[in-house]
Amino acid sequence: MIQETVICIPSKGRSNDIKTLTMLKDSPFEIKIVVYEDELNDYINNNENVDCVVCPVRGLGKKRNWIMNEYFKNYKYIIMIDDDIEKLIQVVDMKDEEINIYDKIDEVKQELVKRDAYLGGFCLCPNRFFAKNTISETLKHIAMDFSIWRRKDGAVNPLVSYQHFEDYVHCIEMFLRDGKIIRFNDIIVITDNYTITGG
């Protein structure tokens, strides 16, 4: 039986410091921390109330591929969130407003169905000047650190092997496959970008 939604957190080297779990308190969805086998015990010991699963391939692009191929077998939606996400904010008149992430996830899912799209997400750039109260379908970069994926029956998921900049390639591949990707241009993901560890 196909279930509705799962949250997958690709992680590496942060078994005792997953900021995202604080944001996901009281989650209505199952949460899976996706790790490499050599770190599994550390993650289990430091995250007793969360399901930790082993990804058999290495590299962030390949890990995202594996998550999609594995969890689209049983779920309609996969929410992929990096392990260092602090919160989502909505920019209104150049000012930050904190939002309920589960309300926003539901809104993105509804928009994906309405627009017949299969990848949705938010703006990575923290510069409020670029935040607009629009939803785009064009080839604008979606931050893979918080992305919402919808299952497409009969479709082949993109195969991306890049370790760095894999998010750009995933956006391009999904746009080529479906003709659109959905970005909420007034939502910003708050995180420390471009750190060496993680993923």
Side-chain angles (χ1 to χ4, degrees):
M1 179 178 168
I2 300 297
Q3 300 178 66
E4 183 70 15
T5 303
V6 63
I7 294 176
C8 293
I9 303 174
S11 188
K12 176 178 178 288
R14 290 198 181 115
S15 64
N16 61 351
D17 186 30
I18 302 179
K19 294 179 183 178
T20 306
L21 290 178
T22 301
M23 181 183 68
L24 295 176
K25 187 178 179 182
D26 302 321
S27 171
F29 309 124
E30 286 185 74
I31 299 174
K32 313 280 187 184
I33 303 175
V34 182
V35 303
Y36 298 127
E37 187 171 13
D38 56 352
E39 293 187 293
L40 179 62
N41 289 336
D42 288 340
Y43 274 89
I44 290 173
N45 293 336
N46 286 295
N47 302 278
E48 294 179 357
N49 298 319
V50 185
D51 190 14
C52 300
V53 297
V54 170
C55 174
V57 296
R58 300 191 82 86
L60 188 52
K62 291 179 180 178
K63 186 181 277 190
R64 292 198 198 282
N65 296 339
W66 182 85
I67 288 170
M68 282 188 282
N69 290 328
E70 183 69 18
Y71 288 103
F72 272 142
K73 296 173 185 174
N74 300 307
Y75 294 90
K76 293 180 184 176
Y77 296 93
I78 298 171
I79 316 298
M80 269 194 247
I81 311 178
D82 283 1
D83 57 12
D84 59 349
I85 305 302
E86 298 172 14
K87 59 185 175 180
L88 291 182
I89 59 167
Q90 185 166 15
V91 180
V92 179
D93 296 328
M94 298 292 288
K95 295 180 181 177
D96 296 352
E97 294 186 3
E98 241 181 286
I99 57 177
N100 182 296
I101 64 165
Y102 301 115
D103 289 345
K104 187 54 64 177
I105 286 172
D106 285 342
E107 186 180 351
V108 175
K109 286 162 61 177
Q110 291 169 19
E111 205 67 35
L112 289 174
V113 172
K114 174 183 171 183
R115 295 173 184 254
D116 191 28
Y118 296 88
L119 171 61
F122 313 113
C123 182
L124 179 63
C125 177
N127 188 335
R128 277 64 175 168
F129 177 79
F130 294 104
K132 308 296 181 188
N133 184 23
T134 58
I135 300 173
S136 62
E137 296 183 356
T138 55
L139 186 54
K140 289 188 175 183
H141 176 250
I142 289 175
M144 288 293 130
D145 52 6
F146 198 133
S147 52
I148 295 95
W149 303 75
R150 178 180 166 217
R151 171 181 160 145
K152 187 174 186 178
D153 292 334
V156 176
N157 296 321
L159 295 177
V160 177
S161 60
Y162 288 81
Q163 171 69 4
H164 297 290
F165 304 112
E166 49 77 32
D167 49 346
Y168 289 93
V169 182
H170 263 118
C171 287
I172 293 167
E173 291 288 348
M174 290 295 285
F175 186 83
L176 288 172
R177 192 191 78 175
D178 302 322
K180 63 185 77 170
I181 56 177
I182 305 304
R183 192 176 86 172
F184 284 64
N185 296 311
D186 59 349
I187 305 297
I188 293 176
V189 181
I190 302 300
T191 179
D192 288 328
N193 295 315
Y194 310 118
T195 55
I196 293 173
T197 59

